[in-house]
Amino acid sequence: MSSRSVRMPSSVSAEFSPIRTLFKASVARRRDLPASTIDLWPLTLIGEDAEYGRCLDWLDQQERERASRFLRQQDRERYVLAHGGLRFILGLYLDLAPARIEFSLTATGKPALAGLRPESAALTFNLSHSHGNAMVAVAQGREVGVDLEMIREDVDALKLAERFFSDREQLHMRSTASESRSQEFFHYWVAKEAVLKAEGVGLASLQSCEIDWSRGSDRDGVPVRLAGGSQQPWVVRTLDCGPGWVGAVAARESDWTINPCNSCTAATD
């Protein structure tokens, strides 16, 4: 049995920018987003006191209460910066101050925008943050999911695959060389998570979401098999996030491209 991976190569490079460079683009004007494009904002969650204070001021009461429940200061700061950064980014599209943005939950518990004017109601988003980095995906007229993970070698990839992966995926994991299994596991994981976050369902559905890398391409992404048969197929594309990191974006159909936003220029391009 071959030990070579058949996973498709990453097609989009996502370079993390410090959150302070995002806020330097404060000459913000409304950012237009075509329906065929998903904007991707990769951020490093490191900020000075002023940036942290700014983000904290933007959060609503529920977000502040959640932040206060983190026991570790670092985790609390990262949460505040991630969610403040999300609000700032969404403000670029909505032409709203970050503190004025309202959120709600869908029937499945997925965060969504609330209280929007009709011309802005089609905007969707998703946030993922892990170990000090974050990704925000923004789309128009379609649900989107994004996931980001740091590749760790301290995981039992085969044991986790038995619990969360389909039979086909488990077979592929067992055929992967032992030194590459952790990396391969996390490529599967972020792809599955991105799809499930786009659909708005939880981790309990991981096993029913099957990724077959051999069926996709760099250009078109990978179609995803889901138990229950969605009306339109989900497509996932992987991200090159630099050494030790992996990410993925998912949306319906394949008629979309990813635009990695440069935090330094995004507000003025």
Side-chain angles (χ1 to χ4, degrees):
M1 191 177 294
S2 171
S3 64
R4 186 178 66 177
S5 168
V6 297
R7 176 177 44 79
M8 75 172 187
S10 300
S11 57
V12 176
S13 177
E15 182 178 348
F16 296 103
S17 298
I19 201 163
R20 67 175 65 92
T21 63
L22 173 66
F23 297 156
K24 284 179 181 177
S26 55
V27 286
R29 64 175 178 83
R30 184 180 175 93
R31 184 178 176 86
D32 294 322
L33 181 63
S36 60
T37 300
I38 293 175
D39 277 356
L40 186 72
W41 298 79
L43 301 171
T44 298
L45 302 176
I46 299 175
E48 303 296 334
D49 289 346
E51 289 135 13
Y52 176 82
R54 241 174 126 183
C55 287
L56 186 61
D57 286 344
W58 292 335
L59 302 189
D60 62 26
Q61 186 61 33
Q62 186 176 18
E63 289 168 319
R64 292 181 190 181
E65 289 175 357
R66 185 172 178 185
S68 70
R69 291 197 290 268
F70 286 99
L71 298 178
R72 297 174 60 213
Q73 181 177 348
Q74 185 180 59
D75 294 336
R76 184 166 57 253
E77 290 176 351
R78 287 173 174 175
Y79 174 90
V80 169
L81 291 171
H83 287 259
L86 169 66
R87 283 175 168 273
F88 183 90
I89 289 166
L90 292 175
L92 299 178
Y93 299 88
L94 300 172
D95 198 22
L96 283 175
R100 292 186 57 203
I101 293 171
E102 299 177 23
F103 297 106
S104 63
L105 296 177
T106 66
T108 58
K110 182 181 180 182
L113 290 162
L116 298 181
R117 300 185 299 269
E119 64 269 23
S120 302
L123 196 75
T124 62
F125 71 94
N126 202 228
L127 165 68
S128 179
H129 54 98
S130 173
H131 297 275
N133 285 328
M135 291 271 191
V136 175
V138 185
Q140 187 76 246
R142 72 177 81 219
E143 291 297 336
V144 63
V146 63
D147 195 53
L148 170 71
E149 294 288 344
M150 183 175 70
I151 298 172
R152 306 188 306 278
E153 299 297 331
D154 60 343
V155 299
D156 189 332
L158 291 182
K159 187 173 181 179
L160 288 170
E162 289 174 3
R163 181 179 178 186
F164 294 114
F165 289 7
S166 70
D167 291 342
R168 186 196 302 264
E169 292 166 339
Q170 291 178 46
L171 180 63
H172 175 68
M173 286 295 301
R174 287 193 292 269
S175 71
T176 300
S178 58
E179 64 271 17
S180 302
R181 278 182 187 151
S182 291
Q183 181 173 349
E184 199 70 8
F185 169 80
F186 281 106
H187 273 92
Y188 270 117
W189 186 272
V190 295
K192 287 167 163 284
E193 277 260 47
V195 172
L196 298 181
K197 289 177 70 179
E199 193 169 54
V201 296
L203 294 182
S205 303
L206 274 171
Q207 199 168 35
S208 67
C209 172
E210 185 176 82
I211 313 292
D212 183 358
W213 301 112
S214 66
R215 297 171 61 230
S217 71
D218 256 0
R219 184 190 64 192
D220 298 326
V222 175
V224 178
R225 296 189 186 97
L226 276 179
S230 298
Q231 291 182 340
Q232 296 172 300
W234 291 99
V235 169
V236 64
R237 293 189 170 101
T238 55
L239 304 169
D240 178 4
C241 302
W245 290 87
V246 63
V249 175
R252 290 199 187 276
E253 300 295 355
S254 59
D255 60 337
W256 49 274
T257 58
I258 298 172
N259 174 40
C261 298
N262 185 319
S263 298
C264 298
T265 61
T268 57
D269 60 4

